[in-house]
């Protein structure tokens, strides 16, 4: 009879604290600001990942989603992105 290999304990995952939508928006806006200051525009490739303070942000996806959701964004959010040079079309 074949013996079974010893079972290993599952790796412990470090739980990240939940972030509010406002915190997520602020973090993505900081990534957009950093990118705009460095590159001079917000024509971010969809696959681009921006690192801010050691944390990766899927900036390309964020920008594409905001363009698609422009009509449903809060006016202050549209203003914040426009101030960074966001092109909506």
């Amino acid at each position: 009879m074949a013996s079974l290999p010893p079972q290993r304990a599952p790796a412990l995952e470090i739980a990240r604290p939940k972030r509010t939508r406002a915190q997520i928006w602020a973090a993505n806006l900081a990534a957009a600001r950093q990118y705009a200051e460095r590159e001079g525009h917000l024509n971010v490739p969809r696959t681009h990942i921006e690192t801010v303070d050691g944390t990766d942000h899927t900036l390309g996806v964020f920008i594409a989603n905001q363009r698609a959701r422009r009509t449903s964004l809060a006016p202050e959010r549209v203003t914040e992105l426009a101030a960074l040079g966001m092109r909506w079309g």
Side-chain angles (χ1 to χ4, degrees):
M1 184 188 271
S3 64
L4 297 174
Q7 296 213 354
R8 295 183 183 188
L12 295 177
E13 292 185 28
I14 298 173
R16 287 188 270 166
K18 295 283 184 180
R19 296 186 306 162
T20 65
R21 289 181 191 253
Q23 290 170 322
I24 294 168
W25 172 264
N28 282 313
L29 192 64
R33 186 174 296 111
Q34 177 177 288
Y35 183 91
E37 288 173 0
R38 183 181 68 245
E39 302 294 331
H41 61 80
L42 273 181
N43 297 326
V44 184
R46 187 168 177 83
T47 58
H48 181 74
I49 296 174
E50 187 75 10
T51 303
V52 179
D53 297 328
T55 303
D56 289 343
H57 301 275
T58 53
L59 183 60
V61 172
F62 171 74
I63 293 296
N65 286 344
Q66 301 325 299
R67 280 192 181 112
R69 298 175 183 149
R70 180 183 184 189
T71 58
S72 63
L73 284 178
E76 60 271 10
R77 290 187 171 184
V78 172
T79 302
E80 288 175 315
L81 289 170
L84 296 178
M86 177 78 143
R87 291 193 175 190
W88 299 97

